[in-house]
Amino acid sequence: MSLEYVEAVHLVAARIRPGSVLTYGDIAELLGAGGPRQVGSAMAGAADGVPWWRVLRADGTLPAGLHERALPYWQHEGMPLRNGRVRLPAARWQPGVADFAAVDALATDLLRPPAGPEPKRRGDLL
DNA sequence: CTTTTGACAGCGT
DNA sequence: CACGCTGCCAAAA
């Protein structure tokens, strides 16, 4: 079962324990594909059910707008905060063996692009 | 093929 | 600690 990058990102996000967070860069690294910006882009289309407030920028904040919407969740989950920003050193999620394995599986699936437009063969002459 | 655009990251000031 | 700049990665124009 091949997986779409966006899906993978959402699935990883869903694994983050309440009270913990991951940065965009972390997820990109865990998936071993794309970069922080790709993850951010993916999160933009996150459906309800995806804990988007647990995926932050490297400085423990979220873009304007999302930041305020996230505060209630953070407080409710008892995130280690400091000046309204999540304190990364204390909140960064550390996947257990099971989670790590699952994430690794996702990463592997990503290596099989779904319907990649077949690289067009440039003539048999060249 | 080049340019622009994003829920970014790191580093120097 | 806050800005400003530069670097990055993919996708879309």
Side-chain angles (χ1 to χ4, degrees):
Chain A
M1 94 165 236
S2 48
L3 201 55
E4 186 121 5
Y5 190 76
V6 182
E7 306 292 340
V9 171
H10 294 170
L11 289 174
V12 172
R15 281 201 138 66
I16 305 175
R17 283 181 35 182
S20 302
V21 300
L22 278 187
T23 68
Y24 297 102
D26 287 339
I27 294 185
E29 195 171 330
L30 283 173
L31 291 178
R37 317 200 66 137
Q38 276 55 253
V39 174
S41 191
M43 287 308 291
D48 297 352
V50 177
W52 54 267
W53 59 91
R54 294 183 196 144
V55 182
L56 329 174
R57 290 194 288 217
D59 64 353
T61 71
L62 277 177
L66 294 175
H67 193 281
E68 299 95 53
R69 295 184 218 170
L71 272 164
Y73 289 102
W74 292 347
Q75 306 191 66
H76 183 266
E77 293 186 7
M79 296 269 194
L81 303 177
R82 188 168 74 180
N83 295 67
R85 311 174 225 83
V86 174
R87 208 161 88 56
L88 264 298
R92 202 187 279 278
W93 182 54
Q94 315 201 342
V97 279
D99 292 305
F100 192 84
V103 172
D104 197 47
L106 292 179
T108 300
D109 274 0
L110 275 181
L111 299 180
R112 310 163 208 313
E118 287 306 319
K120 200 164 141 195
R121 239 148 266 246
R122 302 174 297 163
D124 313 325
L125 306 177
L126 185 58

